[in-house]
Amino acid sequence: MDLPKNRFLASLNSGQTLWGCWLGLPDPNVAEIAAGSGFDWLLIDHEHAPFELSDVMAHLRAIEPYPIAPLVRPVNADPALLKKFLEMGTQSFVIPMIDNAEQAKACVDAVYYPPKGLRGVGTSLARAARWNQVEGYVHKANDEICLIVQAETCEALNNLDEILAVEGVHGVFIGPSDLAASMGKIGQGADPELLDACIEAIVKIKAAGKIAGILTLSEPLIERCVEAGSDFIGVAVDTLLIGHAMRDAAAKRKATAST
């Protein structure tokens, strides 16, 4: 049995901006609906959404039959937690709140097998290795890992050059909401200083030859990120899409009934 290829890494070779959607609802039916929607990638948000480990694996299984790349954002960079996600088949990570090179190096240690990292070996218990059915899994797995760290504080932006220099980190994802809070501008997503900081970070990431990503629902910022060379952009969230559609449908029906 062959090791599954990392669809996200493969998609990046297209040279096109990859468009993605955040998944915050633990029901795998939502993941499967999203998987057939036409996005390039889906991010399973274990950090802020009510996902248990089994929910994340159910999402990975629901997405797998579709030609779309799954990413996982764990709640933190705990090596024991990252090992669990690796074993269940996660190949692409967006790891939040990485503020310096030391923390980025710890992520590298957690997600790669030796000698590149310190990931523990337990392939007979791992869905990722198809329970020891993938021949040579431990020698191939590192090549299919994509490690993105998230810069979402002023400290992280100040240390961005050092973070980008960490071998094994494929790229950096900018988190505007937390960055705004770190800048003393919480909830001010359209603040010019915040937007300029996001674009400057993307330009720096690309100049270092790394992958640049961001999550934003702002059309003006999306356009600026594309111009700056952002490789992947999250532009939707499942909870918001469902909420907006339901409210629009109810408002339309009530408006029709009142005429």
Side-chain angles (χ1 to χ4, degrees):
M1 185 176 294
D2 293 331
L3 175 67
K5 294 297 181 181
N6 186 316
R7 294 174 182 171
F8 186 64
L9 284 175
S11 297
L12 287 165
N13 293 328
S14 70
Q16 303 290 321
T17 302
L18 303 181
W19 305 102
C21 180
W22 236 244
L23 299 181
L25 295 169
D27 189 328
N29 291 300
V30 175
E32 187 164 3
I33 292 168
S37 65
F39 282 108
D40 299 305
W41 55 272
L42 301 170
L43 184 139
I44 304 165
D45 194 353
H46 179 259
E47 182 189 13
H48 286 293
F51 283 94
E52 301 295 339
L53 291 175
S54 58
D55 298 323
V56 174
M57 185 149 71
H59 265 43
L60 292 172
R61 283 176 166 149
I63 294 169
E64 187 170 19
Y66 296 84
I68 189 168
L71 292 77
V72 171
R73 179 164 74 169
V75 68
N76 57 38
D78 180 354
L81 176 64
L82 297 182
K83 181 163 56 179
K84 291 285 189 181
F85 283 129
L86 288 160
E87 305 297 57
M88 69 175 63
T90 301
Q91 293 179 313
S92 297
F93 291 90
V94 175
I95 301 182
M97 291 294 181
I98 301 303
D99 288 332
N100 55 55
E102 182 180 6
Q103 293 173 349
K105 179 59 169 63
C107 293
V108 170
D109 288 341
V111 302
Y112 295 107
Y113 282 128
K116 191 171 184 178
L118 300 173
R119 177 185 174 185
V121 180
T123 53
S124 63
L125 302 178
R127 174 179 177 267
R130 294 300 187 262
W131 299 277
N132 256 359
Q133 295 184 79
V134 175
E135 185 177 353
Y137 174 81
V138 295
H139 301 293
K140 304 172 183 176
N142 283 356
D143 293 336
E144 301 303 329
I145 296 299
C146 180
L147 174 60
I148 308 291
V149 299
Q150 193 160 346
E152 45 193 333
T153 65
C154 294
E155 181 182 357
L157 293 193
N158 289 337
N159 293 325
L160 190 54
D161 288 331
E162 290 79 9
I163 292 171
L164 289 167
V166 175
E167 185 177 353
V169 171
H170 288 81
V172 176
F173 192 90
I174 304 301
S177 295
D178 279 297
L179 179 57
S182 179
M183 295 172 68
K185 302 173 183 289
I186 190 167
Q188 300 177 40
D191 180 83
E193 184 182 359
L194 168 68
L195 302 185
D196 288 346
C198 291
I199 298 304
E200 289 170 9
I202 289 171
V203 170
K204 182 174 287 190
I205 295 163
K206 292 300 297 176
K210 298 292 179 82
I211 300 164
I214 193 168
L215 169 65
T216 177
L217 308 185
S218 165
E219 285 298 331
L221 181 54
I222 290 170
E223 292 178 8
R224 290 185 65 186
C225 290
V226 172
E227 292 173 359
S230 184
D231 299 283
F232 69 115
I233 305 176
V235 293
V237 182
D238 59 358
T239 54
L240 298 182
L241 291 171
I242 292 171
H244 288 321
M246 286 185 171
R247 287 190 291 273
D248 288 347
K252 179 180 179 179
R253 180 49 48 202
K254 289 183 177 182
T256 302
S258 64
T259 58

